[in-house]
Amino acid sequence: MIEISKFIVGFLILLGALFSLVAAIGVVRLPDTYTRNHAASKSSTLGVLSILLGLFMYYLLIDHHANARVLLGIVFVFITSPVAGHLIMRAAYNMGVPLWHKSVRDDLKTARKAKKRR
Amino acid sequence: MKTNDLIFQTVTKTAVFIIIIYSLHLFFSGHYTPGGGFIGGLMTASAIVLLLLAFDIKTVVNSLNIDYIKMTATGLLIALLTGVGSFFFDVPFLTHTFSYVDLPVLGKTSLATAVLFDLGVYLVVIGVTMTIIQTIGETE
């Protein structure tokens, strides 16, 4: 039992670390602000959630102690992190940060133009 | 330009409750685990700051309707009175005590009078932080 628990905990934490690494590589490698935020907000959220879940499983299975604060942290990060990404990107778009030069469509721009014409 | 803050405001309504509950947890658990009046007060103040960010200052001031300067004064008075209270039991100033009580739901709990002093710290921290932030926010 304890070996299976250790395997689950180790798997979750390593998976979370891997997702965080992928997010960091994405932030370095991707071309513009929007794609970078796409990598950072999604992948690092999942990475943090996996690490916290691994931590919760560690306390639950090995220390036999249900740590509600970690669960609250999981819920909180899951709710707030995408919204933070959304707000940063909206601020960037309103500031006029350009898209990558190979981007093919900008739906928000056409929608705003249509609204202005009306 | 008036922006559409629907996502931010909806998430704020949920997140504020989580932050306030967690700050109360930190406040009450300060005797045996990390936490206490200072950090609990800062977290409650941060929940109010989140409200200030998501909604405009008029909405928050109207809905909460707290005079933070009076709140600071109340906190200082509570902290002082817990110190004065020790005089009635013929012990030095700011002597605190605790006892184990069987509460109906929580079971055996140790109730310390230090939590009253911490309540004073909690109110002072919220009051001072919110006074600073609201004063800076109101000046044009």
Side-chain angles (χ1 to χ4, degrees):
Chain A
M1 179 63 199
I2 199 97
E3 291 304 319
I4 300 172
S5 312
K6 278 179 187 168
F7 178 77
I8 295 170
V9 169
F11 177 74
L12 280 172
I13 289 180
L14 282 178
L15 190 74
L18 183 72
F19 274 124
S20 305
L21 181 69
V22 168
I25 292 173
V27 169
V28 176
R29 291 281 298 162
L30 286 171
D32 71 344
T33 319
Y34 305 99
T35 47
R36 277 178 193 159
N37 183 64
H38 178 79
S41 67
K42 274 198 190 45
S43 187
S44 66
T45 306
L46 191 57
V48 170
L49 291 189
S50 301
I51 291 174
L52 282 177
L53 195 64
L55 183 74
F56 180 74
M57 295 301 250
Y58 177 84
Y59 280 128
L60 190 68
L61 297 173
I62 295 172
D63 276 4
H64 300 293
H65 165 237
N67 195 335
R69 281 181 286 182
V70 179
L71 278 186
L72 198 65
I74 291 174
V75 172
F76 193 74
V77 171
F78 188 65
I79 292 174
T80 52
S81 171
V83 180
H86 158 76
L87 287 173
I88 294 168
M89 278 311 100
R90 198 183 58 172
Y93 192 89
N94 288 339
M95 289 283 289
V97 174
L99 271 67
W100 187 30
H101 60 91
K102 283 182 190 164
S103 304
V104 286
R105 53 188 288 184
D106 186 354
D107 282 345
L108 186 54
K109 197 175 175 184
T110 50
R112 281 193 177 170
K113 257 183 197 163
K115 199 177 179 187
K116 214 172 273 177
R117 223 179 291 131
R118 230 187 307 135
Chain B
M1 189 176 95
K2 195 180 181 307
T3 49
N4 182 3
D5 275 340
L6 184 66
I7 298 175
F8 187 29
Q9 288 177 352
T10 312
V11 167
T12 299
K13 283 173 200 162
T14 322
V16 161
F17 283 105
I18 300 178
I19 297 172
I20 287 183
I21 287 169
Y22 190 60
S23 75
L24 288 177
H25 167 77
L26 277 178
F27 171 67
F28 283 114
S29 68
H31 203 66
Y32 291 111
T33 53
F38 183 76
I39 192 151
L42 273 184
M43 276 196 77
T44 310
S46 75
I48 304 172
V49 170
L50 183 62
L51 280 176
L52 282 173
L53 284 174
F55 304 93
D56 58 347
I57 193 163
K58 215 176 276 177
T59 318
V60 179
V61 170
N62 282 340
S63 54
L64 280 179
N65 203 9
I66 301 168
D67 188 346
Y68 292 107
I69 295 174
K70 277 181 190 157
M71 197 173 184
T72 313
T74 315
L76 283 174
L77 194 68
I78 289 172
L80 183 69
L81 285 179
T82 56
V84 170
S86 61
F87 289 154
F88 294 106
F89 300 96
D90 210 16
V91 282
F93 184 61
L94 279 175
T95 304
H96 287 288
T97 182
F98 67 98
S99 68
Y100 290 100
V101 185
D102 271 321
L103 292 178
V105 182
L106 298 169
K108 188 183 171 193
T109 316
S110 77
L111 293 180
T113 53
V115 80
L116 293 173
F117 184 80
D118 240 15
L119 179 68
V121 176
Y122 180 77
L123 292 177
V124 168
V125 169
I126 297 176
V128 169
T129 317
M130 291 316 296
T131 308
I132 292 171
I133 289 168
Q134 279 198 352
T135 317
I136 295 172
E138 274 168 356
T139 49
E140 290 298 318

